[in-house]
Amino acid sequence: MRASHVVVPITAAAVSAVVGFTVGRRVGGINLKRQLNGNDKLLSRQERHLATALIQMGYGHLFRYWPPPGVRDAEKRRLLAAVAHRLEGVTPSLESERLAVLVPPIPTQRPKLLQSHGDVREDKYYWLRDDERKDPDVLSYLKAENEYTKGVMADTEKLQDALYKEMRARIKEDDRQVPSRHHGYFYYTRQETGQQYGIQCRRRVPAAMVQRGPSEVDDVDESEPEEILLDQNQRKAQLGVDYYSVGGSDTSPDQRLYAWAEDTVGGEKYTLHVKDLATGAELIRPIAGMSGDFEWAADSATLFYVVKDELDRPYKVLRHKIGSSAGQDQVVYEEKDEAFYVHLYKGRSERVLYISSGSAVTSETRYIMADQPESEFTVILPRVQDTEYSITDRGDWLYMTIRDKARPNSELLVAPISSPASGQVLIPHSREVKLEGVSVGERYMVVSERSGGLQRARVYELPANLGRPTGPLGAGEEIKFDEPAYSLGAYLTGDFDTPIVRMSYTSLTTPSTVIDMHVGTGKRCVKKVAPVLGGFDQTRYVTERLWATAKDGVKVPISLVYRKDLAKLDGTDPLLLNGYGSYEISNDPYFSSSRLTLLDRGFIFAIAHIRGGGEMGRYWYEDGKMQKKINTFTDFITAAEHLVSERKLVKPERLCIEGRSAGGMLMGAVLNMRPDLFHAAIIGVGFVDCLTTMLDETIPLTVVEREEWGDPAADPAVYAYMKSYSPVDNVKAQNYPNILAIAGLHDPRVGYWEPAKFVAKLRELKTGSQLLLLKTEMGAGHFSVTGRFEKLKEIAFEYAFLFKTLGMLDVPLAGAEPTAAAGAGAAAGAGQ
């Protein structure tokens, strides 16, 4: 028996307001039965007429993703009645009525008891984990969540398209990176209009330029023929895959062969290829299951490469001879400790090849001379718990950056290769200045530092004839910039004898800028400022550095940016606060042309540089890990409260937050702790089920990350501490903000089931009517889609989510006229 036809009557006046379309199940090319998922049988003649007319007018999103007849029938008819009222001049909110029709997926509960240290946790959604990614029940649930998300966001589809086009229009599609000079060639990557992926190329350095020597003004000579090394667009099409990513690529020392590692799934297991650049012929049978890490020996006939184990741990180095089968490859090193990952690299001199094996806090490095590929790797300094070091070489000397408990901010030593333990200090440890790394060449050295939350670099001249410098060194020549917050990378570029320092600089208001400096003359040349099309004017934007005071007195830096002619700075502006705070990773400010889409609609964007990250040095990191992890979450809350209460830049009902991976764990934790402080949250591939994961050694990264989070399986105190903040374990019946959670089905770092379980538990327990959406990328991993334009579509979706929750679907880009694409329109209502 069908539901009653009349909940609120649809009047003739309402129907006539949308123009006189012919009544019927198929009108004007519209299959109403299909459009309404069979619900046409539920509707009266006038209701069908109204629905048909609205679909014809472009408001089909009102009916999309309706459940079948018999499910929420009253809500469907209330929506039509609300539309009728709107057409008669009454202005109810249609969006709440539309959302009331949609049915969120409710996953089956299959309780599993998890026991540790006498404590029992009930996990009703443990079954959502499928390591093979093939379980039909799991895939069905994830697809249902995706369909529900599409349904909820249906009223933003035109806006998403408009945002995508807006962001794409800022990109110079036909572009080229600044080339790097190496062994007689300029190497560079370029993009072509309409193409998603880069094209890796090279051109010869002209003879006159070779004779003159490197200069800060050097660039490719267009008269030299271009050689395409790898066209990723062509390669992806050739393979016929949806996902494509290159993990590493390099020419052989004699410049004749080209090796690259590619991932066609998103799981970060790469396949190694080698081709002859003269003929294009592949020279080896592809080697699968590697980490993307490889290096050439000096003979251009030997390749060393790293493979992964069943838990995705890079653990073994093999040696391959071009022309032989992979079955003949010899293992030259295997790391037995499951907490250690293996990395392969060369120094800038290219004379020495290194295998670095490291855990989160401990490392050990081995080496051979690159011209002796058959020799045995020799340990430089044996591993000592909680001691890390990195090595590069110059002549007969090793330059060692070392960190241990006595030198947490690291110091630089030099030692003979023949006696690595007899090092002399070149740059001593400092509590105020963290030594981040060194770039060593034949004549110069560039040292990267961090102090007061800002990066800087120093350039040192080294003794002639590859002689040993004596320390401690002086101050060197400092390179710094004046903006209050920025990101800086500085390193030697070119061959080992180069005098050129390359600086990569960006800030929240400054597009990525590459500057080359000749150390000998001091001359600088701006090689490129990343183009931003569409009339971008840097002077319209302001960046600031604020400091919030945590309860323990620690000052937490905040970087922010806004458009000065739009932001009112009175608490009414929307604000997006970003955070990370783990692994000593520095979440430094950087420019984003897509972020202009927010700023040019009046948003303030901010980054909280919280403990657990590396922005303020090693002490800052160690104060936000293990049994001090709570500082990461309270610092973020402190930053948010500072923006709300102290600076009064935003109100909680306008404050949005975002974080990815460990930053997603941050989002989950602060939402549980202070849901009243935030309006909306974007949780990207969130590490939100961290306790369950860290108890399970069969999950990739668990063992190695015990030195980041602790070992809850072995230590009941660590177990109790992690349980106190693990987002999934702390979901409770309370009113949460609007939430968009994002997962990658093939993610090897954070299992897709973590965001899925978090959303499932929130659906079970949360109160209130705020949005709760799960979006799983079914063909991607931790870093989502790879195409440069496909990424913009993802950003457009996330921004549309924010605009929707803030009631900003109709807010146009500054200086632009409102368009139909900016919202759902007046006739059917935008849901405001």
Side-chain angles (χ1 to χ4, degrees):
M1 182 175 180
R2 288 191 295 175
S4 170
H5 274 309
V6 180
V7 175
V8 178
I10 306 297
T11 68
V15 175
S16 64
V18 293
V19 186
F21 287 99
T22 305
V23 179
R25 294 202 178 186
R26 187 173 182 87
V27 183
I30 292 176
N31 186 326
L32 194 60
K33 181 177 181 179
R34 180 173 56 81
Q35 291 272 6
L36 298 184
N37 193 23
N39 284 283
D40 58 309
K41 296 179 292 185
L42 172 72
L43 306 182
S44 69
R45 182 174 182 273
Q46 284 184 318
E47 289 169 330
R48 289 198 302 271
H49 191 177
L50 177 61
T52 301
L54 289 168
I55 292 169
Q56 291 257 8
M57 294 170 66
Y59 301 110
H61 75 273
L62 291 170
F63 313 106
R64 218 169 302 148
Y65 305 101
W66 272 19
V71 180
R72 299 201 174 180
D73 291 346
E75 286 83 356
K76 298 166 190 171
R77 306 196 65 250
R78 274 199 291 269
L79 171 60
L80 280 170
V83 173
H85 284 152
R86 173 66 65 90
L87 294 169
E88 291 177 324
V90 184
T91 56
S93 170
L94 298 187
E95 186 59 10
S96 60
E97 298 290 354
R98 186 183 76 85
L99 294 179
V101 175
L102 304 180
V103 181
I106 304 298
T108 304
Q109 294 184 3
R110 304 176 188 174
K112 180 181 177 66
L113 298 182
L114 305 175
Q115 302 184 43
S116 296
H117 308 295
D119 181 59
V120 179
R121 293 178 298 138
E122 182 183 60
D123 190 340
K124 300 175 182 177
Y125 308 106
Y126 190 91
W127 67 272
L128 287 171
R129 174 185 170 185
D130 172 30
D131 291 350
E132 300 300 318
R133 277 77 170 170
K134 294 178 180 178
D135 187 308
D137 290 343
V138 171
L139 296 178
S140 176
Y141 169 68
L142 296 177
K143 290 174 182 176
E145 284 284 5
N146 281 350
E147 287 298 300
Y148 176 70
T149 294
K150 289 178 184 177
V152 170
M153 295 291 288
D155 62 325
T156 72
E157 287 175 358
K158 291 181 180 178
L159 174 62
Q160 289 178 51
D161 185 60
L163 297 178
Y164 165 73
K165 291 176 180 176
E166 175 187 310
M167 291 186 285
R168 182 166 176 172
R170 296 194 189 103
I171 296 175
K172 187 177 184 299
E173 294 192 19
D174 186 4
D175 201 9
R176 191 200 74 191
Q177 292 180 354
V178 178
S180 295
R181 181 169 169 169
H182 184 65
H183 291 324
Y185 288 90
F186 282 117
Y187 285 86
Y188 56 92
T189 299
R190 60 177 176 83
Q191 295 81 29
E192 291 185 348
T193 300
Q195 296 291 334
Q196 295 260 27
Y197 298 87
I199 304 171
Q200 288 157 282
C201 310
R202 70 180 182 181
R203 295 179 193 261
R204 285 193 178 275
V205 179
M209 197 178 292
V210 172
Q211 188 174 10
R212 186 194 68 204
S215 166
E216 74 282 356
V217 299
D218 286 348
D219 203 349
V220 296
D221 185 335
E222 299 287 343
S223 68
E224 294 286 342
E226 181 181 75
E227 187 176 3
I228 293 178
L229 307 174
L230 182 65
D231 184 337
Q232 295 184 36
N233 305 283
Q234 188 180 76
R235 180 67 179 168
K236 180 177 182 290
Q238 176 188 349
L239 295 170
V241 295
D242 294 327
Y243 181 96
Y244 187 78
S245 176
V246 174
S249 61
D250 194 17
T251 49
S252 58
D254 64 8
Q255 308 300 295
R256 296 187 305 106
L257 309 182
Y258 184 76
W260 76 98
E262 60 189 19
D263 174 13
T264 58
V265 176
E268 298 180 54
K269 280 192 175 178
Y270 295 85
T271 299
L272 181 63
H273 299 261
V274 178
K275 69 179 180 180
D276 186 315
L277 287 171
T279 66
E282 290 209 33
L283 301 180
I284 68 171
R285 186 181 296 273
I287 299 173
M290 48 116 38
S291 69
D293 217 356
F294 65 87
E295 286 289 350
W296 289 98
D299 62 5
S300 297
T302 306
L303 264 177
F304 294 88
Y305 62 93
V306 180
V307 296
K308 289 186 167 185
D309 65 13
E310 65 278 2
L311 292 181
D312 284 318
R313 179 176 69 99
Y315 80 114
K316 188 187 293 185
V317 180
L318 288 87
R319 181 175 59 228
H320 178 82
K321 284 287 188 180
I322 303 298
S324 66
S325 70
Q328 296 176 292
D329 293 353
Q330 294 185 331
V331 176
V332 298
Y333 178 69
E334 180 175 353
E335 176 55 63
K336 302 292 188 180
D337 192 326
E338 293 181 346
F340 281 66
Y341 278 29
V342 169
H343 171 55
L344 192 62
Y345 71 100
K346 281 182 188 173
R348 290 196 70 256
S349 73
E350 300 182 72
R351 294 178 61 244
V352 186
L353 196 151
Y354 302 96
I355 296 174
S356 174
S357 188
S359 70
V361 297
T362 306
S363 70
E364 180 179 66
T365 301
R366 292 165 166 77
Y367 79 97
I368 61 171
M369 304 310 292
D371 61 357
Q372 300 172 29
E374 302 290 334
S375 60
E376 185 175 344
F377 280 82
T378 301
V379 173
I380 293 176
L381 295 176
R383 68 184 66 178
V384 175
Q385 177 62 28
D386 206 17
T387 297
E388 295 176 281
Y389 64 93
S390 59
I391 300 289
T392 191
D393 56 275
R394 176 177 177 268
D396 295 327
W397 309 100
L398 296 176
Y399 289 67
M400 304 187 293
T401 305
I402 190 165
R403 182 210 62 79
D404 56 23
K405 290 183 178 180
R407 299 165 287 187
N409 273 339
S410 303
E411 67 182 16
L412 179 65
L413 295 83
V414 63
I417 292 179
S418 58
S419 180
S422 58
Q424 177 191 3
V425 174
L426 294 181
I427 299 178
H429 174 263
S430 167
R431 183 176 178 85
E432 289 72 36
V433 180
K434 181 190 175 187
L435 176 61
E436 294 207 307
V438 298
S439 177
V440 176
E442 182 178 290
R443 297 164 57 195
Y444 304 103
M445 176 174 69
V446 181
V447 176
S448 298
E449 302 175 343
R450 184 179 291 273
S451 177
L454 293 178
Q455 296 167 290
R456 61 190 181 195
R458 297 181 188 275
V459 180
Y460 295 87
E461 186 170 359
L462 298 176
N465 302 317
L466 302 177
R468 172 178 181 163
T470 57
L473 300 177
E477 179 185 348
E478 183 177 354
I479 301 172
K480 59 182 179 179
F481 293 83
D482 295 328
E483 285 190 277
Y486 56 83
S487 296
L488 172 66
Y491 50 92
L492 293 165
T493 183
D495 296 323
F496 190 60
D497 62 354
T498 182
I500 307 299
V501 174
R502 176 157 292 173
M503 292 165 278
S504 299
Y505 177 85
T506 184
S507 76
L508 291 170
T509 61
T510 304
S512 179
T513 303
V514 177
I515 305 165
D516 280 358
M517 180 182 77
H518 192 294
V519 182
T521 65
K523 293 181 179 179
R524 297 190 183 192
C525 177
V526 176
K527 306 302 289 287
K528 182 177 182 178
V529 178
V532 183
L533 307 183
F536 169 70
D537 180 356
Q538 183 177 349
T539 64
R540 290 176 175 170
Y541 305 88
V542 176
T543 181
E544 297 183 24
R545 172 62 65 94
L546 311 179
W547 296 85
T549 304
K551 289 183 179 180
D552 59 1
V554 170
K555 301 289 186 180
V556 179
I558 307 168
S559 301
L560 61 82
V561 62
Y562 54 87
R563 182 163 158 168
K564 59 186 178 184
D565 60 333
L566 293 181
K568 296 180 282 295
L569 308 181
D570 61 357
T572 63
D573 302 315
L575 189 150
L576 178 60
L577 179 63
N578 175 278
Y580 188 76
S582 292
Y583 303 111
E584 202 179 3
I585 292 174
S586 297
N587 190 15
D588 293 312
Y590 68 95
F591 183 85
S592 165
S593 64
S594 60
R595 192 186 297 134
L596 297 176
T597 289
L598 296 179
L599 302 182
D600 289 353
R601 286 175 173 81
F603 260 82
I604 302 170
F605 175 79
I607 302 171
H609 304 287
I610 51 185
R611 279 176 280 187
E615 293 94 327
M616 300 280 284
R618 183 75 182 191
Y619 295 98
W620 193 251
Y621 165 56
E622 292 182 346
D623 233 13
K625 64 178 290 194
M626 303 286 277
Q627 302 299 86
K628 296 182 179 180
K629 190 62 197 172
I630 196 69
N631 287 336
T632 301
F633 314 134
T634 56
D635 279 2
F636 189 85
I637 291 170
T638 291
E641 289 175 333
H642 181 81
L643 295 170
V644 170
S645 303
E646 298 297 321
R647 289 298 298 263
K648 302 188 185 305
L649 292 176
V650 66
K651 294 182 173 66
E653 58 267 26
R654 305 289 279 172
L655 177 55
C656 306
I657 57 177
E658 65 169 358
R660 287 184 58 85
S661 196
M665 180 187 68
L666 165 70
M667 297 296 105
V670 301
L671 289 176
N672 284 330
M673 295 167 70
R674 286 293 309 275
D676 60 302
L677 188 55
F678 312 107
H679 173 74
I682 298 174
I683 306 176
V685 292
F687 184 37
V688 287
D689 196 21
C690 53
L691 177 58
T692 302
T693 293
M694 290 305 299
L695 286 164
D696 190 342
E697 292 187 4
T698 69
I699 295 177
L701 297 180
T702 291
V703 174
V704 72
E705 293 203 347
R706 286 171 178 164
E707 290 176 327
E708 176 75 20
W709 313 102
D711 185 357
D715 190 335
V718 172
Y719 174 88
Y721 190 74
M722 286 197 75
K723 184 179 178 182
S724 74
Y725 67 74
S726 174
V728 165
D729 290 288
N730 287 278
V731 172
K732 51 183 174 287
Q734 60 181 346
N735 199 358
Y736 283 85
N738 299 285
I739 296 172
L740 169 62
I742 299 168
L745 182 64
H746 299 285
D747 190 342
R749 299 178 184 231
V750 176
Y752 70 85
W753 54 86
E754 295 202 29
K757 288 166 66 174
F758 187 58
V759 168
K761 195 165 183 181
L762 282 167
R763 288 212 193 285
E764 176 190 349
L765 295 176
K766 86 177 190 73
T767 59
S769 59
Q770 285 78 4
L771 300 183
L772 175 59
L773 306 178
L774 173 64
K775 181 172 181 278
T776 303
E777 295 295 340
M778 304 300 284
H782 193 69
F783 299 104
S784 193
V785 295
T786 51
R788 56 176 175 160
F789 304 137
E790 290 303 309
K791 284 186 177 293
L792 293 182
K793 290 180 181 178
E794 288 203 336
I795 296 171
F797 182 89
E798 294 174 13
Y799 287 177
F801 169 78
L802 296 179
F803 292 144
K804 178 180 177 67
T805 67
L806 289 163
M808 293 177 63
L809 293 184
D810 291 317
V811 176
L813 186 70
E817 293 297 322
T819 66
Q832 306 306 311

